[in-house]
Amino acid sequence: MLKQLETFCAVYETRNFSHAAEQLFISQPTVSTQIKQLEADLQTTLFTRNGRQEIVPTASGQLLYQQAQKLLTTWAATKTAVRSPRQLVKVPCRIGASHTTGSLILPALLAELSTASDRFDFQVTLANSAEILTAMSQHKLDFGLVEKPLVTDHLNRLAFGHDELVHAGDFNSPLWLLREPNSGVRHYTNAFLKARNIQPEQVMVIHSNQMIADLLARGTGQTIISRHVLAPTIPVEALSSHYQRQFFLLTNHHPAAALRPVQATITQYLTTWSNG
């Protein structure tokens, strides 16, 4: 049953039997068989196909996914505890951060959390805000730090601090350094280009604020970027209040009891950081 649930979750997240099979290192027929067995046991349909043959979860599938994530997480913790009965079992704690919060907030926050590393197994992921939201919704992260006002019914959102975006770099350069389409900075960049009626002659898409800041420091290109990540020698143009954005902490509605001390530390630190 646990293998069937793992297969079901992979299909649910990829929306594709072949991709789920590749992810699990099993054959596609095995994936199909396990899903059929699970549907037979539960006496329900978990997936349907639309006109384009895209796999779509049913209402039962959506409910099972939420419960399956909890069961698999509990089982993983149980296996660890049983295999190491005499050892202190560390609690997994998965933190995701956007590139801006990752460079601006995360280092000091992790230093604060490091005092609890004897009790918690901290795992850190950097991605854009939309990817952090998706991972949180899929219970692949316990905490998320983003700078985009993303909304979901399954998560709590705590606002803290502010970030200032500026126009930076060589303003005469035809090259624009852009973040990827789903990033928070790209949204503001597109708005800036539209407001200024600018159609970049040359574009370079880079999935890293720090990489863009390093290029600007070398005199390469121009962009819209957080003032916080820039070297003081880089030319900047201050923008209106529309280019100021708030940071957010994403948490689950019902966090694991073992993670509550971590959540309290994170919340306290972010509150102090906001007032600092």
Side-chain angles (χ1 to χ4, degrees), residues 193-219:
L193 295 174
K194 183 177 180 180
R196 299 279 179 100
N197 195 27
I198 298 174
Q199 295 182 347
E201 299 175 23
Q202 302 171 23
V203 166
M204 188 179 291
V205 178
I206 301 174
H207 293 235
S208 167
N209 279 342
Q210 190 57 56
M211 180 73 71
I212 292 175
D214 290 343
L215 285 170
L216 295 177
R218 292 173 176 267

mmCIF file with all atom_site columns, all heavy atoms in Angstrom, residues 193-219:
data_model
loop_
_atom_site.group_PDB
_atom_site.id
_atom_site.type_symbol
_atom_site.label_atom_id
_atom_site.label_alt_id
_atom_site.label_comp_id
_atom_site.label_asym_id
_atom_site.label_entity_id
_atom_site.label_seq_id
_atom_site.pdbx_PDB_ins_code
_atom_site.Cartn_x
_atom_site.Cartn_y
_atom_site.Cartn_z
_atom_site.occupancy
_atom_site.B_iso_or_equiv
_atom_site.pdbx_formal_charge
_atom_site.auth_seq_id
_atom_site.auth_comp_id
_atom_site.auth_asym_id
_atom_site.auth_atom_id
_atom_site.pdbx_PDB_model_num
ATOM 1   N N   . LEU A 1 193 ? 9.483  47.742 -17.997 1.00 0.00 ? 193 LEU A N   1
ATOM 2   C CA  . LEU A 1 193 ? 9.728  47.825 -19.436 1.00 0.00 ? 193 LEU A CA  1
ATOM 3   C C   . LEU A 1 193 ? 8.495  48.326 -20.184 1.00 0.00 ? 193 LEU A C   1
ATOM 4   O O   . LEU A 1 193 ? 8.602  49.137 -21.106 1.00 0.00 ? 193 LEU A O   1
ATOM 5   C CB  . LEU A 1 193 ? 10.156 46.458 -19.975 1.00 0.00 ? 193 LEU A CB  1
ATOM 6   C CG  . LEU A 1 193 ? 11.495 45.916 -19.457 1.00 0.00 ? 193 LEU A CG  1
ATOM 7   C CD1 . LEU A 1 193 ? 11.722 44.497 -19.970 1.00 0.00 ? 193 LEU A CD1 1
ATOM 8   C CD2 . LEU A 1 193 ? 12.636 46.829 -19.873 1.00 0.00 ? 193 LEU A CD2 1
ATOM 9   N N   . LYS A 1 194 ? 7.336  47.878 -19.759 1.00 0.00 ? 194 LYS A N   1
ATOM 10  C CA  . LYS A 1 194 ? 6.103  48.315 -20.399 1.00 0.00 ? 194 LYS A CA  1
ATOM 11  C C   . LYS A 1 194 ? 5.851  49.789 -20.125 1.00 0.00 ? 194 LYS A C   1
ATOM 12  O O   . LYS A 1 194 ? 5.478  50.550 -21.034 1.00 0.00 ? 194 LYS A O   1
ATOM 13  C CB  . LYS A 1 194 ? 4.923  47.473 -19.901 1.00 0.00 ? 194 LYS A CB  1
ATOM 14  C CG  . LYS A 1 194 ? 3.599  47.815 -20.564 1.00 0.00 ? 194 LYS A CG  1
ATOM 15  C CD  . LYS A 1 194 ? 2.492  46.893 -20.073 1.00 0.00 ? 194 LYS A CD  1
ATOM 16  C CE  . LYS A 1 194 ? 1.164  47.241 -20.740 1.00 0.00 ? 194 LYS A CE  1
ATOM 17  N NZ  . LYS A 1 194 ? 0.065  46.351 -20.263 1.00 0.00 ? 194 LYS A NZ  1
ATOM 18  N N   . ALA A 1 195 ? 6.063  50.221 -18.861 1.00 0.00 ? 195 ALA A N   1
ATOM 19  C CA  . ALA A 1 195 ? 5.821  51.620 -18.500 1.00 0.00 ? 195 ALA A CA  1
ATOM 20  C C   . ALA A 1 195 ? 6.776  52.560 -19.239 1.00 0.00 ? 195 ALA A C   1
ATOM 21  O O   . ALA A 1 195 ? 6.389  53.682 -19.616 1.00 0.00 ? 195 ALA A O   1
ATOM 22  C CB  . ALA A 1 195 ? 5.968  51.799 -16.987 1.00 0.00 ? 195 ALA A CB  1
ATOM 23  N N   . ARG A 1 196 ? 8.005  52.118 -19.468 1.00 0.00 ? 196 ARG A N   1
ATOM 24  C CA  . ARG A 1 196 ? 9.007  52.946 -20.160 1.00 0.00 ? 196 ARG A CA  1
ATOM 25  C C   . ARG A 1 196 ? 8.987  52.726 -21.681 1.00 0.00 ? 196 ARG A C   1
ATOM 26  O O   . ARG A 1 196 ? 9.776  53.336 -22.392 1.00 0.00 ? 196 ARG A O   1
ATOM 27  C CB  . ARG A 1 196 ? 10.395 52.645 -19.612 1.00 0.00 ? 196 ARG A CB  1
ATOM 28  C CG  . ARG A 1 196 ? 10.584 52.925 -18.113 1.00 0.00 ? 196 ARG A CG  1
ATOM 29  C CD  . ARG A 1 196 ? 10.829 54.387 -17.846 1.00 0.00 ? 196 ARG A CD  1
ATOM 30  N NE  . ARG A 1 196 ? 10.991 54.661 -16.426 1.00 0.00 ? 196 ARG A NE  1
ATOM 31  C CZ  . ARG A 1 196 ? 12.180 54.828 -15.819 1.00 0.00 ? 196 ARG A CZ  1
ATOM 32  N NH1 . ARG A 1 196 ? 13.298 54.729 -16.518 1.00 0.00 ? 196 ARG A NH1 1
ATOM 33  N NH2 . ARG A 1 196 ? 12.248 55.077 -14.520 1.00 0.00 ? 196 ARG A NH2 1
ATOM 34  N N   . ASN A 1 197 ? 8.113  51.862 -22.133 1.00 0.00 ? 197 ASN A N   1
ATOM 35  C CA  . ASN A 1 197 ? 8.026  51.520 -23.562 1.00 0.00 ? 197 ASN A CA  1
ATOM 36  C C   . ASN A 1 197 ? 9.374  51.051 -24.092 1.00 0.00 ? 197 ASN A C   1
ATOM 37  O O   . ASN A 1 197 ? 9.844  51.472 -25.161 1.00 0.00 ? 197 ASN A O   1
ATOM 38  C CB  . ASN A 1 197 ? 7.532  52.721 -24.380 1.00 0.00 ? 197 ASN A CB  1
ATOM 39  C CG  . ASN A 1 197 ? 7.088  52.317 -25.785 1.00 0.00 ? 197 ASN A CG  1
ATOM 40  O OD1 . ASN A 1 197 ? 6.675  51.181 -26.012 1.00 0.00 ? 197 ASN A OD1 1
ATOM 41  N ND2 . ASN A 1 197 ? 7.183  53.238 -26.726 1.00 0.00 ? 197 ASN A ND2 1
ATOM 42  N N   . ILE A 1 198 ? 10.002 50.153 -23.335 1.00 0.00 ? 198 ILE A N   1
ATOM 43  C CA  . ILE A 1 198 ? 11.308 49.616 -23.703 1.00 0.00 ? 198 ILE A CA  1
ATOM 44  C C   . ILE A 1 198 ? 11.148 48.200 -24.243 1.00 0.00 ? 198 ILE A C   1
ATOM 45  O O   . ILE A 1 198 ? 10.504 47.353 -23.613 1.00 0.00 ? 198 ILE A O   1
ATOM 46  C CB  . ILE A 1 198 ? 12.255 49.591 -22.483 1.00 0.00 ? 198 ILE A CB  1
ATOM 47  C CG1 . ILE A 1 198 ? 12.506 51.011 -21.968 1.00 0.00 ? 198 ILE A CG1 1
ATOM 48  C CG2 . ILE A 1 198 ? 13.572 48.905 -22.837 1.00 0.00 ? 198 ILE A CG2 1
ATOM 49  C CD1 . ILE A 1 198 ? 13.303 51.053 -20.679 1.00 0.00 ? 198 ILE A CD1 1
ATOM 50  N N   . GLN A 1 199 ? 11.721 47.951 -25.384 1.00 0.00 ? 199 GLN A N   1
ATOM 51  C CA  . GLN A 1 199 ? 11.788 46.615 -25.952 1.00 0.00 ? 199 GLN A CA  1
ATOM 52  C C   . GLN A 1 199 ? 13.263 46.243 -26.065 1.00 0.00 ? 199 GLN A C   1
ATOM 53  O O   . GLN A 1 199 ? 13.962 46.693 -26.976 1.00 0.00 ? 199 GLN A O   1
ATOM 54  C CB  . GLN A 1 199 ? 11.111 46.565 -27.321 1.00 0.00 ? 199 GLN A CB  1
ATOM 55  C CG  . GLN A 1 199 ? 9.612  46.834 -27.265 1.00 0.00 ? 199 GLN A CG  1
ATOM 56  C CD  . GLN A 1 199 ? 8.953  46.724 -28.629 1.00 0.00 ? 199 GLN A CD  1
ATOM 57  O OE1 . GLN A 1 199 ? 9.622  46.686 -29.650 1.00 0.00 ? 199 GLN A OE1 1
ATOM 58  N NE2 . GLN A 1 199 ? 7.633  46.665 -28.622 1.00 0.00 ? 199 GLN A NE2 1
ATOM 59  N N   . PRO A 1 200 ? 13.767 45.451 -25.115 1.00 0.00 ? 200 PRO A N   1
ATOM 60  C CA  . PRO A 1 200 ? 15.201 45.159 -25.085 1.00 0.00 ? 200 PRO A CA  1
ATOM 61  C C   . PRO A 1 200 ? 15.727 44.577 -26.393 1.00 0.00 ? 200 PRO A C   1
ATOM 62  O O   . PRO A 1 200 ? 15.111 43.684 -26.974 1.00 0.00 ? 200 PRO A O   1
ATOM 63  C CB  . PRO A 1 200 ? 15.317 44.132 -23.944 1.00 0.00 ? 200 PRO A CB  1
ATOM 64  C CG  . PRO A 1 200 ? 14.119 44.391 -23.078 1.00 0.00 ? 200 PRO A CG  1
ATOM 65  C CD  . PRO A 1 200 ? 13.023 44.793 -24.024 1.00 0.00 ? 200 PRO A CD  1
ATOM 66  N N   . GLU A 1 201 ? 16.852 45.112 -26.839 1.00 0.00 ? 201 GLU A N   1
ATOM 67  C CA  . GLU A 1 201 ? 17.487 44.595 -28.047 1.00 0.00 ? 201 GLU A CA  1
ATOM 68  C C   . GLU A 1 201 ? 18.166 43.256 -27.776 1.00 0.00 ? 201 GLU A C   1
ATOM 69  O O   . GLU A 1 201 ? 18.206 42.380 -28.641 1.00 0.00 ? 201 GLU A O   1
ATOM 70  C CB  . GLU A 1 201 ? 18.525 45.597 -28.555 1.00 0.00 ? 201 GLU A CB  1
ATOM 71  C CG  . GLU A 1 201 ? 17.965 46.970 -28.928 1.00 0.00 ? 201 GLU A CG  1
ATOM 72  C CD  . GLU A 1 201 ? 19.077 47.936 -29.315 1.00 0.00 ? 201 GLU A CD  1
ATOM 73  O OE1 . GLU A 1 201 ? 20.161 47.464 -29.712 1.00 0.00 ? 201 GLU A OE1 1
ATOM 74  O OE2 . GLU A 1 201 ? 18.852 49.157 -29.213 1.00 0.00 ? 201 GLU A OE2 1
ATOM 75  N N   . GLN A 1 202 ? 18.691 43.120 -26.577 1.00 0.00 ? 202 GLN A N   1
ATOM 76  C CA  . GLN A 1 202 ? 19.381 41.884 -26.197 1.00 0.00 ? 202 GLN A CA  1
ATOM 77  C C   . GLN A 1 202 ? 18.900 41.469 -24.808 1.00 0.00 ? 202 GLN A C   1
ATOM 78  O O   . GLN A 1 202 ? 18.677 42.320 -23.941 1.00 0.00 ? 202 GLN A O   1
ATOM 79  C CB  . GLN A 1 202 ? 20.897 42.089 -26.178 1.00 0.00 ? 202 GLN A CB  1
ATOM 80  C CG  . GLN A 1 202 ? 21.487 42.554 -27.500 1.00 0.00 ? 202 GLN A CG  1
ATOM 81  C CD  . GLN A 1 202 ? 22.941 42.933 -27.355 1.00 0.00 ? 202 GLN A CD  1
ATOM 82  O OE1 . GLN A 1 202 ? 23.633 42.485 -26.443 1.00 0.00 ? 202 GLN A OE1 1
ATOM 83  N NE2 . GLN A 1 202 ? 23.425 43.778 -28.269 1.00 0.00 ? 202 GLN A NE2 1
ATOM 84  N N   . VAL A 1 203 ? 18.742 40.182 -24.607 1.00 0.00 ? 203 VAL A N   1
ATOM 85  C CA  . VAL A 1 203 ? 18.235 39.668 -23.335 1.00 0.00 ? 203 VAL A CA  1
ATOM 86  C C   . VAL A 1 203 ? 19.054 38.460 -22.904 1.00 0.00 ? 203 VAL A C   1
ATOM 87  O O   . VAL A 1 203 ? 19.420 37.620 -23.728 1.00 0.00 ? 203 VAL A O   1
ATOM 88  C CB  . VAL A 1 203 ? 16.746 39.268 -23.457 1.00 0.00 ? 203 VAL A CB  1
ATOM 89  C CG1 . VAL A 1 203 ? 16.312 38.419 -22.269 1.00 0.00 ? 203 VAL A CG1 1
ATOM 90  C CG2 . VAL A 1 203 ? 15.868 40.501 -23.559 1.00 0.00 ? 203 VAL A CG2 1
ATOM 91  N N   . MET A 1 204 ? 19.326 38.386 -21.614 1.00 0.00 ? 204 MET A N   1
ATOM 92  C CA  . MET A 1 204 ? 19.954 37.204 -21.032 1.00 0.00 ? 204 MET A CA  1
ATOM 93  C C   . MET A 1 204 ? 19.136 36.812 -19.799 1.00 0.00 ? 204 MET A C   1
ATOM 94  O O   . MET A 1 204 ? 18.987 37.610 -18.873 1.00 0.00 ? 204 MET A O   1
ATOM 95  C CB  . MET A 1 204 ? 21.408 37.509 -20.640 1.00 0.00 ? 204 MET A CB  1
ATOM 96  C CG  . MET A 1 204 ? 22.214 36.284 -20.203 1.00 0.00 ? 204 MET A CG  1
ATOM 97  S SD  . MET A 1 204 ? 23.939 36.720 -19.795 1.00 0.00 ? 204 MET A SD  1
ATOM 98  C CE  . MET A 1 204 ? 24.565 37.145 -21.433 1.00 0.00 ? 204 MET A CE  1
ATOM 99  N N   . VAL A 1 205 ? 18.554 35.613 -19.787 1.00 0.00 ? 205 VAL A N   1
ATOM 100 C CA  . VAL A 1 205 ? 17.731 35.148 -18.668 1.00 0.00 ? 205 VAL A CA  1
ATOM 101 C C   . VAL A 1 205 ? 18.606 34.349 -17.711 1.00 0.00 ? 205 VAL A C   1
ATOM 102 O O   . VAL A 1 205 ? 19.233 33.363 -18.109 1.00 0.00 ? 205 VAL A O   1
ATOM 103 C CB  . VAL A 1 205 ? 16.558 34.273 -19.168 1.00 0.00 ? 205 VAL A CB  1
ATOM 104 C CG1 . VAL A 1 205 ? 15.730 33.758 -17.988 1.00 0.00 ? 205 VAL A CG1 1
ATOM 105 C CG2 . VAL A 1 205 ? 15.680 35.072 -20.130 1.00 0.00 ? 205 VAL A CG2 1
ATOM 106 N N   . ILE A 1 206 ? 18.630 34.782 -16.452 1.00 0.00 ? 206 ILE A N   1
ATOM 107 C CA  . ILE A 1 206 ? 19.517 34.174 -15.448 1.00 0.00 ? 206 ILE A CA  1
ATOM 108 C C   . ILE A 1 206 ? 18.705 33.860 -14.194 1.00 0.00 ? 206 ILE A C   1
ATOM 109 O O   . ILE A 1 206 ? 18.018 34.730 -13.655 1.00 0.00 ? 206 ILE A O   1
ATOM 110 C CB  . ILE A 1 206 ? 20.675 35.128 -15.105 1.00 0.00 ? 206 ILE A CB  1
ATOM 111 C CG1 . ILE A 1 206 ? 21.476 35.454 -16.376 1.00 0.00 ? 206 ILE A CG1 1
ATOM 112 C CG2 . ILE A 1 206 ? 21.576 34.514 -14.040 1.00 0.00 ? 206 ILE A CG2 1
ATOM 113 C CD1 . ILE A 1 206 ? 22.546 36.493 -16.169 1.00 0.00 ? 206 ILE A CD1 1
ATOM 114 N N   . HIS A 1 207 ? 18.803 32.638 -13.710 1.00 0.00 ? 207 HIS A N   1
ATOM 115 C CA  . HIS A 1 207 ? 18.020 32.194 -12.561 1.00 0.00 ? 207 HIS A CA  1
ATOM 116 C C   . HIS A 1 207 ? 18.732 32.494 -11.235 1.00 0.00 ? 207 HIS A C   1
ATOM 117 O O   . HIS A 1 207 ? 18.696 31.675 -10.316 1.00 0.00 ? 207 HIS A O   1
ATOM 118 C CB  . HIS A 1 207 ? 17.743 30.684 -12.655 1.00 0.00 ? 207 HIS A CB  1
ATOM 119 C CG  . HIS A 1 207 ? 16.849 30.302 -13.782 1.00 0.00 ? 207 HIS A CG  1
ATOM 120 N ND1 . HIS A 1 207 ? 15.693 29.575 -13.603 1.00 0.00 ? 207 HIS A ND1 1
ATOM 121 C CD2 . HIS A 1 207 ? 16.927 30.543 -15.110 1.00 0.00 ? 207 HIS A CD2 1
ATOM 122 C CE1 . HIS A 1 207 ? 15.105 29.369 -14.767 1.00 0.00 ? 207 HIS A CE1 1
ATOM 123 N NE2 . HIS A 1 207 ? 15.842 29.950 -15.704 1.00 0.00 ? 207 HIS A NE2 1
ATOM 124 N N   . SER A 1 208 ? 19.353 33.618 -11.115 1.00 0.00 ? 208 SER A N   1
ATOM 125 C CA  . SER A 1 208 ? 20.088 33.930 -9.890  1.00 0.00 ? 208 SER A CA  1
ATOM 126 C C   . SER A 1 208 ? 20.290 35.429 -9.752  1.00 0.00 ? 208 SER A C   1
ATOM 127 O O   . SER A 1 208 ? 20.898 36.057 -10.635 1.00 0.00 ? 208 SER A O   1
ATOM 128 C CB  . SER A 1 208 ? 21.447 33.217 -9.892  1.00 0.00 ? 208 SER A CB  1
ATOM 129 O OG  . SER A 1 208 ? 22.295 33.728 -8.881  1.00 0.00 ? 208 SER A OG  1
ATOM 130 N N   . ASN A 1 209 ? 19.810 35.995 -8.658  1.00 0.00 ? 209 ASN A N   1
ATOM 131 C CA  . ASN A 1 209 ? 20.046 37.404 -8.375  1.00 0.00 ? 209 ASN A CA  1
ATOM 132 C C   . ASN A 1 209 ? 21.533 37.694 -8.210  1.00 0.00 ? 209 ASN A C   1
ATOM 133 O O   . ASN A 1 209 ? 22.041 38.727 -8.668  1.00 0.00 ? 209 ASN A O   1
ATOM 134 C CB  . ASN A 1 209 ? 19.313 37.821 -7.096  1.00 0.00 ? 209 ASN A CB  1
ATOM 135 C CG  . ASN A 1 209 ? 17.850 38.097 -7.345  1.00 0.00 ? 209 ASN A CG  1
ATOM 136 O OD1 . ASN A 1 209 ? 17.431 38.301 -8.475  1.00 0.00 ? 209 ASN A OD1 1
ATOM 137 N ND2 . ASN A 1 209 ? 17.069 38.081 -6.283  1.00 0.00 ? 209 ASN A ND2 1
ATOM 138 N N   . GLN A 1 210 ? 22.234 36.774 -7.530  1.00 0.00 ? 210 GLN A N   1
ATOM 139 C CA  . GLN A 1 210 ? 23.645 37.010 -7.252  1.00 0.00 ? 210 GLN A CA  1
ATOM 140 C C   . GLN A 1 210 ? 24.462 37.016 -8.530  1.00 0.00 ? 210 GLN A C   1
ATOM 141 O O   . GLN A 1 210 ? 25.371 37.827 -8.698  1.00 0.00 ? 210 GLN A O   1
ATOM 142 C CB  . GLN A 1 210 ? 24.182 35.942 -6.288  1.00 0.00 ? 210 GLN A CB  1
ATOM 143 C CG  . GLN A 1 210 ? 25.574 36.248 -5.763  1.00 0.00 ? 210 GLN A CG  1
ATOM 144 C CD  . GLN A 1 210 ? 25.642 37.595 -5.075  1.00 0.00 ? 210 GLN A CD  1
ATOM 145 O OE1 . GLN A 1 210 ? 24.894 37.867 -4.150  1.00 0.00 ? 210 GLN A OE1 1
ATOM 146 N NE2 . GLN A 1 210 ? 26.538 38.471 -5.530  1.00 0.00 ? 210 GLN A NE2 1
ATOM 147 N N   . MET A 1 211 ? 24.119 36.134 -9.462  1.00 0.00 ? 211 MET A N   1
ATOM 148 C CA  . MET A 1 211 ? 24.818 36.104 -10.739 1.00 0.00 ? 211 MET A CA  1
ATOM 149 C C   . MET A 1 211 ? 24.599 37.414 -11.504 1.00 0.00 ? 211 MET A C   1
ATOM 150 O O   . MET A 1 211 ? 25.535 37.976 -12.090 1.00 0.00 ? 211 MET A O   1
ATOM 151 C CB  . MET A 1 211 ? 24.331 34.928 -11.580 1.00 0.00 ? 211 MET A CB  1
ATOM 152 C CG  . MET A 1 211 ? 24.999 34.819 -12.941 1.00 0.00 ? 211 MET A CG  1
ATOM 153 S SD  . MET A 1 211 ? 26.706 34.249 -12.836 1.00 0.00 ? 211 MET A SD  1
ATOM 154 C CE  . MET A 1 211 ? 26.449 32.536 -12.373 1.00 0.00 ? 211 MET A CE  1
ATOM 155 N N   . ILE A 1 212 ? 23.350 37.901 -11.471 1.00 0.00 ? 212 ILE A N   1
ATOM 156 C CA  . ILE A 1 212 ? 23.053 39.168 -12.142 1.00 0.00 ? 212 ILE A CA  1
ATOM 157 C C   . ILE A 1 212 ? 23.826 40.313 -11.486 1.00 0.00 ? 212 ILE A C   1
ATOM 158 O O   . ILE A 1 212 ? 24.404 41.164 -12.164 1.00 0.00 ? 212 ILE A O   1
ATOM 159 C CB  . ILE A 1 212 ? 21.537 39.442 -12.117 1.00 0.00 ? 212 ILE A CB  1
ATOM 160 C CG1 . ILE A 1 212 ? 20.804 38.424 -13.002 1.00 0.00 ? 212 ILE A CG1 1
ATOM 161 C CG2 . ILE A 1 212 ? 21.231 40.868 -12.588 1.00 0.00 ? 212 ILE A CG2 1
ATOM 162 C CD1 . ILE A 1 212 ? 19.295 38.539 -12.954 1.00 0.00 ? 212 ILE A CD1 1
ATOM 163 N N   . ALA A 1 213 ? 23.858 40.325 -10.158 1.00 0.00 ? 213 ALA A N   1
ATOM 164 C CA  . ALA A 1 213 ? 24.590 41.376 -9.439  1.00 0.00 ? 213 ALA A CA  1
ATOM 165 C C   . ALA A 1 213 ? 26.079 41.332 -9.765  1.00 0.00 ? 213 ALA A C   1
ATOM 166 O O   . ALA A 1 213 ? 26.728 42.378 -9.915  1.00 0.00 ? 213 ALA A O   1
ATOM 167 C CB  . ALA A 1 213 ? 24.374 41.226 -7.930  1.00 0.00 ? 213 ALA A CB  1
ATOM 168 N N   . ASP A 1 214 ? 26.626 40.129 -9.915  1.00 0.00 ? 214 ASP A N   1
ATOM 169 C CA  . ASP A 1 214 ? 28.048 39.992 -10.261 1.00 0.00 ? 214 ASP A CA  1
ATOM 170 C C   . ASP A 1 214 ? 28.317 40.535 -11.667 1.00 0.00 ? 214 ASP A C   1
ATOM 171 O O   . ASP A 1 214 ? 29.349 41.183 -11.905 1.00 0.00 ? 214 ASP A O   1
ATOM 172 C CB  . ASP A 1 214 ? 28.474 38.531 -10.175 1.00 0.00 ? 214 ASP A CB  1
ATOM 173 C CG  . ASP A 1 214 ? 28.516 38.018 -8.742  1.00 0.00 ? 214 ASP A CG  1
ATOM 174 O OD1 . ASP A 1 214 ? 28.524 38.858 -7.823  1.00 0.00 ? 214 ASP A OD1 1
ATOM 175 O OD2 . ASP A 1 214 ? 28.524 36.796 -8.541  1.00 0.00 ? 214 ASP A OD2 1
ATOM 176 N N   . LEU A 1 215 ? 27.382 40.283 -12.596 1.00 0.00 ? 215 LEU A N   1
ATOM 177 C CA  . LEU A 1 215 ? 27.543 40.805 -13.951 1.00 0.00 ? 215 LEU A CA  1
ATOM 178 C C   . LEU A 1 215 ? 27.471 42.330 -13.965 1.00 0.00 ? 215 LEU A C   1
ATOM 179 O O   . LEU A 1 215 ? 28.243 43.002 -14.661 1.00 0.00 ? 215 LEU A O   1
ATOM 180 C CB  . LEU A 1 215 ? 26.471 40.215 -14.870 1.00 0.00 ? 215 LEU A CB  1
ATOM 181 C CG  . LEU A 1 215 ? 26.688 38.757 -15.288 1.00 0.00 ? 215 LEU A CG  1
ATOM 182 C CD1 . LEU A 1 215 ? 25.446 38.213 -15.987 1.00 0.00 ? 215 LEU A CD1 1
ATOM 183 C CD2 . LEU A 1 215 ? 27.901 38.630 -16.194 1.00 0.00 ? 215 LEU A CD2 1
ATOM 184 N N   . LEU A 1 216 ? 26.545 42.885 -13.184 1.00 0.00 ? 216 LEU A N   1
ATOM 185 C CA  . LEU A 1 216 ? 26.427 44.338 -13.097 1.00 0.00 ? 216 LEU A CA  1
ATOM 186 C C   . LEU A 1 216 ? 27.720 44.938 -12.545 1.00 0.00 ? 216 LEU A C   1
ATOM 187 O O   . LEU A 1 216 ? 28.165 46.000 -12.994 1.00 0.00 ? 216 LEU A O   1
ATOM 188 C CB  . LEU A 1 216 ? 25.249 44.721 -12.201 1.00 0.00 ? 216 LEU A CB  1
ATOM 189 C CG  . LEU A 1 216 ? 23.849 44.338 -12.693 1.00 0.00 ? 216 LEU A CG  1
ATOM 190 C CD1 . LEU A 1 216 ? 22.802 44.735 -11.659 1.00 0.00 ? 216 LEU A CD1 1
ATOM 191 C CD2 . LEU A 1 216 ? 23.529 44.991 -14.031 1.00 0.00 ? 216 LEU A CD2 1
ATOM 192 N N   . ALA A 1 217 ? 28.315 44.259 -11.566 1.00 0.00 ? 217 ALA A N   1
ATOM 193 C CA  . ALA A 1 217 ? 29.562 44.751 -10.976 1.00 0.00 ? 217 ALA A CA  1
ATOM 194 C C   . ALA A 1 217 ? 30.700 44.761 -11.996 1.00 0.00 ? 217 ALA A C   1
ATOM 195 O O   . ALA A 1 217 ? 31.651 45.534 -11.865 1.00 0.00 ? 217 ALA A O   1
ATOM 196 C CB  . ALA A 1 217 ? 29.944 43.891 -9.770  1.00 0.00 ? 217 ALA A CB  1
ATOM 197 N N   . ARG A 1 218 ? 30.587 43.908 -13.026 1.00 0.00 ? 218 ARG A N   1
ATOM 198 C CA  . ARG A 1 218 ? 31.584 43.877 -14.088 1.00 0.00 ? 218 ARG A CA  1
ATOM 199 C C   . ARG A 1 218 ? 31.253 44.857 -15.207 1.00 0.00 ? 218 ARG A C   1
ATOM 200 O O   . ARG A 1 218 ? 31.940 44.895 -16.235 1.00 0.00 ? 218 ARG A O   1
ATOM 201 C CB  . ARG A 1 218 ? 31.662 42.461 -14.676 1.00 0.00 ? 218 ARG A CB  1
ATOM 202 C CG  . ARG A 1 218 ? 32.240 41.426 -13.723 1.00 0.00 ? 218 ARG A CG  1
ATOM 203 C CD  . ARG A 1 218 ? 32.116 40.028 -14.317 1.00 0.00 ? 218 ARG A CD  1
ATOM 204 N NE  . ARG A 1 218 ? 32.743 39.043 -13.463 1.00 0.00 ? 218 ARG A NE  1
ATOM 205 C CZ  . ARG A 1 218 ? 33.999 38.617 -13.581 1.00 0.00 ? 218 ARG A CZ  1
ATOM 206 N NH1 . ARG A 1 218 ? 34.772 39.124 -14.528 1.00 0.00 ? 218 ARG A NH1 1
ATOM 207 N NH2 . ARG A 1 218 ? 34.490 37.718 -12.761 1.00 0.00 ? 218 ARG A NH2 1
ATOM 208 N N   . GLY A 1 219 ? 30.162 45.628 -15.023 1.00 0.00 ? 219 GLY A N   1
ATOM 209 C CA  . GLY A 1 219 ? 29.778 46.604 -16.029 1.00 0.00 ? 219 GLY A CA  1
ATOM 210 C C   . GLY A 1 219 ? 28.978 46.020 -17.181 1.00 0.00 ? 219 GLY A C   1
ATOM 211 O O   . GLY A 1 219 ? 28.864 46.641 -18.237 1.00 0.00 ? 219 GLY A O   1
#
